[in-house]
Amino acid sequence: MLYRSFIHLPRVGEARERALWEQGVLSWAHLLAARRLRGFSPEELSLFRRILLRCLDRFHDPHFWIRCLPRRHLWRLMPHFSGTTVYLDIETTGLSFKESHITVVGLYDGQKYQAFVRGQNLEEVPKILPRYQQIITFGGSRFDLPFLKVCFPEIRLPPLHHDLYYLFRRLGLRGGLKRIEVELGLVRPQEIARLDGLAAVRLWFRARLGDQKALETLLAYNQADVINLVTLAQIAWQRLWDQLDTPWGQP
DNA sequence: CATGGGTGAAGTCGACGGGT
DNA sequence: ACCCGTCGACTTCACCCATG
């Protein structure tokens, strides 16, 4: 996908990127080889070539792409950094950054789910997160990530963040995580299907009183939230891709 | 319940390609 | 060498709403 993108070139937006695609320039290689193109002066093309060579140099540098790509198109990077992605969802004792605190941080790297629990291993989170280049959340830009920064002021987060909440909103799917899951036909294990965030708060307090089963349920709930993010991210990416309506169809 | 980032529309500006 | 139209970038602003 990335090597088919031209939106990061200067004075190229959606319209001119499409103009390139429509005259058969479907990848950087095509552009690098092109002599003349309608709507682009030779001077502009040679500028583009210089930039694309630099893009090849920095191909795996997320900071570079975050600077180059317009915010609105950062989603294109998702599969590009899939090998170094972490999915994240937290549980807290409430909504207020001041009054509440984190109880569980759930991470999934595509292979393994890990829970970090307050009073056990929560302080490991700042050591783990910087290992990844890309982080995917649902509503994380307003909730999970600010909360983490309050809890761990020094924390270094992965440079690239995709908030599925906003991506789905753009796709016309409004509503919370659970609602969107239902809409897309994703299922949860029976025993946690009816839980929500408030239930998670109650489970935490029961766990603190020594109810071991409550902690297990809380972690199962968090795990379902986190792992569903993988499917949701794939769907969001696919739909955003479809929306581009490229001349050649599938990625 | 507290919280605050993202969206999208509208408007403006200015760069640039291309036709004359 | 010039002008025009197109298009991208940027700013402003009201509005929205899911998170535990």
Side-chain angles (χ1 to χ4, degrees), chain A residues 5 12-13 17 43-44 70 90 93 95 129 134 140 148-149 151 155 172 185 197 200-201 205 216:
Chain A
S5 289
V12 174
E17 180 179 59
E43 293 75 26
E44 200 176 24
I90 69 171
T93 56
L95 296 169
L129 277 182
Q134 176 166 262
L148 275 172
K149 284 179 196 153
C151 187
I155 195 168
V201 176
F205 285 114
E216 281 167 26

Coordinates of all heavy atoms in Angstrom, one line a residue, chain A residues 5 12-13 17 43-44 70 90 93 95 129 134 140 148-149 151 155 172 185 197 200-201 205 216:
Chain A
S5 N 1.4 4.9 -2.6 CA 0.9 6.2 -2.1 C 1.7 7.3 -2.6 O 3.0 7.2 -2.7 CB 0.9 6.2 -0.5 OG -0.1 5.4 0.0
V12 N 0.6 17.4 -3.3 CA -0.2 16.3 -3.8 C -1.2 15.9 -2.8 O -0.8 15.6 -1.6 CB 0.7 15.0 -4.1 CG1 -0.2 13.8 -4.5 CG2 1.7 15.3 -5.3
G13 N -2.4 16.1 -3.1 CA -3.5 15.7 -2.2 C -4.3 14.5 -2.8 O -3.7 13.8 -3.7
E17 N -3.2 12.6 -6.4 CA -2.8 11.2 -6.2 C -3.6 10.3 -7.2 O -3.1 9.5 -7.9 CB -2.9 10.8 -4.8 CG -2.5 9.3 -4.6 CD -2.6 8.9 -3.1 OE1 -3.8 8.9 -2.6 OE2 -1.6 8.5 -2.5
E43 N 10.0 19.5 -13.8 CA 10.7 20.0 -12.6 C 10.1 19.3 -11.3 O 10.8 18.8 -10.4 CB 10.6 21.5 -12.4 CG 11.4 22.3 -13.5 CD 10.7 22.3 -14.8 OE1 9.5 22.1 -14.8 OE2 11.4 22.4 -15.8
E44 N 8.7 19.3 -11.4 CA 8.0 18.7 -10.2 C 8.3 17.2 -10.2 O 8.6 16.6 -9.1 CB 6.5 18.9 -10.4 CG 5.7 18.8 -9.1 CD 4.3 19.1 -9.2 OE1 3.7 19.0 -10.3 OE2 3.7 19.5 -8.2
P70 N -0.1 13.1 5.7 CA -1.1 13.9 6.4 C -1.8 13.1 7.4 O -2.1 11.9 7.2 CB -2.1 14.3 5.3 CG -1.4 14.0 4.0 CD -0.3 13.0 4.3
I90 N -7.1 -0.4 28.7 CA -6.9 -0.3 30.1 C -8.2 -0.4 30.9 O -9.3 -0.1 30.3 CB -6.1 1.0 30.5 CG1 -7.0 2.2 30.4 CG2 -4.8 1.1 29.8 CD1 -6.4 3.5 31.0
T93 N -10.5 2.6 37.8 CA -11.6 2.7 38.8 C -12.6 3.7 38.5 O -13.5 4.0 39.3 CB -11.0 3.0 40.2 OG1 -10.3 4.2 40.1 CG2 -10.1 1.9 40.7
L95 N -13.8 7.3 35.6 CA -13.5 8.1 34.4 C -12.6 9.3 34.6 O -11.9 9.7 33.7 CB -14.8 8.6 33.8 CG -15.8 7.5 33.3 CD1 -17.2 8.1 33.0 CD2 -15.2 6.8 32.1
L129 N 6.1 -1.0 26.6 CA 5.4 -0.2 25.4 C 6.4 0.4 24.4 O 6.2 0.3 23.2 CB 4.5 0.9 26.0 CG 3.1 0.4 26.4 CD1 2.3 1.6 26.9 CD2 2.4 -0.3 25.3
Q134 N 4.1 0.9 16.8 CA 2.7 1.2 16.4 C 1.8 0.7 17.6 O 1.9 -0.4 18.0 CB 2.4 0.5 15.1 CG 0.9 0.7 14.7 CD 0.7 0.3 13.2 OE1 0.7 1.1 12.3 NE2 0.6 -1.0 12.9
G140 N -8.5 5.5 22.5 CA -7.2 5.7 23.3 C -6.7 7.1 23.4 O -6.1 7.5 24.3
L148 N -2.6 6.8 30.9 CA -1.2 6.2 31.1 C -0.2 7.3 31.4 O 0.7 7.1 32.2 CB -0.8 5.5 29.8 CG -1.3 4.0 29.7 CD1 -0.9 3.5 28.3 CD2 -0.6 3.2 30.8
K149 N -0.4 8.5 30.7 CA 0.6 9.5 31.0 C 0.4 10.1 32.4 O 1.4 10.6 32.9 CB 0.4 10.6 29.9 CG 1.0 10.2 28.6 CD 0.8 11.3 27.5 CE 1.0 10.7 26.1 NZ 0.2 11.5 25.1
C151 N -0.5 8.3 35.0 CA 0.0 7.3 35.8 C 1.5 7.1 35.8 O 2.2 7.0 36.8 CB -0.7 5.9 35.5 SG -0.4 4.6 36.6
I155 N 6.5 8.0 30.7 CA 6.3 6.9 29.7 C 6.5 7.3 28.3 O 6.2 8.4 27.9 CB 4.9 6.3 29.9 CG1 4.8 4.9 29.2 CG2 3.8 7.2 29.3 CD1 3.6 4.1 29.5
G172 N -18.6 5.9 9.1 CA -20.0 6.0 9.3 C -20.5 5.0 10.4 O -21.7 4.9 10.6
G185 N -20.8 -8.1 13.7 CA -20.9 -9.5 13.9 C -19.8 -10.2 14.7 O -19.7 -11.4 14.6
G197 N -17.8 -1.3 31.0 CA -16.8 -0.7 31.7 C -17.1 -0.5 33.2 O -16.2 -0.7 34.1
A200 N -16.6 -3.6 35.0 CA -15.2 -3.8 35.3 C -14.7 -3.1 36.5 O -13.8 -3.6 37.3 CB -14.4 -3.3 34.1
V201 N -15.2 -1.9 36.8 CA -14.9 -1.2 38.0 C -15.3 -2.1 39.2 O -14.6 -2.3 40.2 CB -15.6 0.2 38.1 CG1 -15.3 0.9 39.4 CG2 -15.1 1.0 36.9
F205 N -13.1 -4.0 42.5 CA -13.3 -3.8 43.9 C -13.6 -5.2 44.6 O -13.1 -5.4 45.7 CB -14.3 -2.8 44.3 CG -13.8 -1.4 44.0 CD1 -14.3 -0.6 43.0 CD2 -12.7 -0.9 44.8 CE1 -13.8 0.7 42.8 CE2 -12.2 0.4 44.5 CZ -12.8 1.2 43.5
E216 N -10.3 -12.9 37.8 CA -10.2 -13.7 36.5 C -11.2 -13.2 35.5 O -10.9 -13.0 34.3 CB -10.5 -15.1 36.8 CG -9.3 -15.9 37.4 CD -9.7 -17.2 38.0 OE1 -10.8 -17.8 37.6 OE2 -9.1 -17.7 39.0

